[in-house]
Amino acid sequence: MIIDGKKIALELREKLKKKIMELKSFSNSVPALTVILVGEDPASKIYVKNKEKFSKEIGINSEVIKYPANVGEKVVLDKIKELNKNKKISGILVQLPLPKHIDKRKVIETILPSKDVDGFHPINVGNLSSGYESNIPCTPLGCYLLLKKAEKNLSGKHAVVIGRSNLNGKPMTQLLLKENCTVTVTHSKTKDLKKECNRADIIIAAVGSPKLVKGDWVKKGVIVIDVGINKTDSGIVGDVDFDEVSKVAKAITPVPGGVGPMTIACLLNNTIECFKRANS
Ligand code: NAP
């Protein structure tokens, strides 16, 4: 089974579009997302453009605030504080990476946790790891939804997460624990990654290393979610050798067309959840 992230993301966006129409009929208002973009990073510009496009498509009011790369940190922090106070804004996202002179941690911690659609604020991180309601980082949330499409009951399964970043590996680990998986978290200092992967019922690869996971690293029937996006001479590839692993796996996400499309759909989902909580 190839887990079609494009199709599943489209279905999710359709569902969210309907939800917004319902919310509008109740409250006469719709969720609003403000994205702050600092500088001219080409990849960030594309991500922000897509976030705006898909937000508008489903009926979210979307605004992008752009600053030049040399903008002062205080200007950005003051704008976030202003947006925090604005009742019309449901979600705030500051596109990363930021220029070096701007403290990423300060920026993340200035966003009101209830408007932190990326789920990066320590309060949201803490709530997620304590099993409480929280904003969940968009990419791991997307991985989780794809995984559930492949296997409804994850309880007792052995999941191996490759990578321990705050963005992917760590929140993914929390989501798997919540589903009663037994989780092994691996990273660059892991002694025998192949051996760890060979024991896995589920593999989440979030590394940034092209085709790292090979066919003989996995056992038959494994479910593989590939988060990696790696530019190579032969195009974009994941962290998993798709041709080899798909012959052995029960289910696998392709790259592109797997996790990628889910990330933005989950951002839209988080924006709606923030709106709902603020209006409940
Ligand atoms: P990151 O912050 O660079 O973290 C990479 C993790 O992989 C680290 O924990 C690192 O270990 C570990 N690692 C590196 N080499 C390894 C190896 N040989 N064996 C085992 N572990 C290894 O990356 P990230 O932000 O999590 O992103 C990971 C990948 O996902 C990238 O390709 C990125 O482009 C992609 N991504 C995709 C989406 C999407 O929407 N699909 C969204 C975000 C990111 P240490 O902690 O020991 O350094």
Side-chain angles (χ1 to χ4, degrees):
M1 173 191 181
I2 293 172
I3 308 170
D4 187 345
K6 241 179 161 173
K7 182 169 160 259
I8 297 166
L10 178 66
E11 286 165 4
L12 177 57
R13 292 201 306 274
E14 289 299 325
K15 208 171 108 191
L16 296 175
K17 196 174 176 177
K18 282 191 192 128
K19 210 179 249 183
I20 289 181
M21 289 194 297
E22 272 170 39
L23 290 168
K24 201 175 173 182
S25 67
F26 283 128
S27 62
N28 216 14
S29 59
V30 293
L33 172 68
T34 299
V35 178
I36 296 178
L37 173 66
V38 181
E40 299 291 329
D41 178 62
S44 293
K45 280 165 92 173
I46 295 171
Y47 291 142
V48 168
K49 206 173 152 197
N50 284 333
K51 284 168 187 174
E52 192 181 22
K53 175 179 161 236
F54 285 117
S55 295
K56 286 190 171 150
E57 213 172 272
I58 69 157
I60 289 177
N61 276 342
S62 170
E63 180 198 20
V64 179
I65 298 172
K66 292 181 184 158
Y67 291 113
N70 63 357
V71 67
E73 183 184 86
K74 189 174 179 304
V75 174
V76 177
L77 296 179
D78 285 347
K79 177 52 77 178
I80 295 172
K81 287 175 194 162
E82 184 193 314
L83 295 167
N84 282 343
K85 283 190 211 135
N86 186 340
K87 286 202 167 65
K88 286 188 182 149
I89 305 297
S90 333
I92 304 166
L93 181 154
V94 178
Q95 185 64 43
L96 301 176
L98 288 165
K100 283 204 172 66
H101 68 280
I102 300 181
D103 185 339
K104 179 176 94 173
R105 184 171 170 185
K106 253 193 217 167
V107 166
I108 290 172
E109 291 183 9
T110 301
I111 300 173
L112 208 61
S114 58
K115 295 191 179 193
D116 165 37
V117 281
D118 259 338
F120 294 160
H121 192 288
I123 298 244
N124 281 319
V125 175
N127 280 338
L128 177 63
S129 62
S130 303
Y132 302 142
E133 187 178 61
S134 68
N135 289 326
I136 300 167
C138 305
T139 303
L141 178 57
C143 292
Y144 168 78
L145 296 175
L146 293 179
L147 184 57
K148 289 289 271 187
K149 287 278 175 189
E151 179 70 61
K152 281 210 169 62
N153 184 9
L154 301 175
S155 184
K157 300 262 187 270
H158 181 204
V160 169
V161 178
I162 318 178
R164 56 175 164 182
S165 69
N166 291 338
L167 183 67
N168 290 308
K170 283 182 191 149
M172 192 66 226
T173 299
Q174 298 302 336
L175 291 171
L176 292 163
L177 284 174
K178 227 174 157 181
E179 287 289 320
N180 298 318
C181 289
T182 301
V183 190
T184 302
V185 185
T186 64
H187 44 77
S188 67
K189 306 292 183 291
T190 296
K191 288 256 163 60
D192 192 343
L193 186 59
K194 179 179 172 182
K195 189 172 146 201
E196 299 300 340
C197 287
N198 259 314
R199 298 192 301 133
D201 303 312
I202 296 162
I203 294 176
I204 314 285
V207 188
S209 176
K211 300 189 181 183
L212 175 74
V213 179
K214 302 290 178 197
D216 63 348
W217 284 35
V218 302
K219 70 178 182 192
K220 200 163 184 290
V222 68
I223 302 173
V224 181
I225 308 289
D226 189 352
V227 186
I229 300 177
N230 306 292
K231 275 188 194 150
T232 68
D233 293 341
S234 51
I236 305 258
V237 300
D239 291 338
V240 176
D241 190 323
F242 183 86
D243 292 339
E244 288 188 12
V245 175
S246 60
K247 291 192 183 106
V248 194
K250 174 181 161 191
I252 183 167
T253 57
V255 177
V259 175
M262 289 300 285
T263 298
I264 291 187
C266 288
L267 168 70
L268 309 178
N269 176 76
N270 286 357
T271 306
I272 296 171
E273 289 304 311
C274 288
F275 173 87
K276 275 166 54 187
R277 274 185 234 124
N279 290 281
S280 64

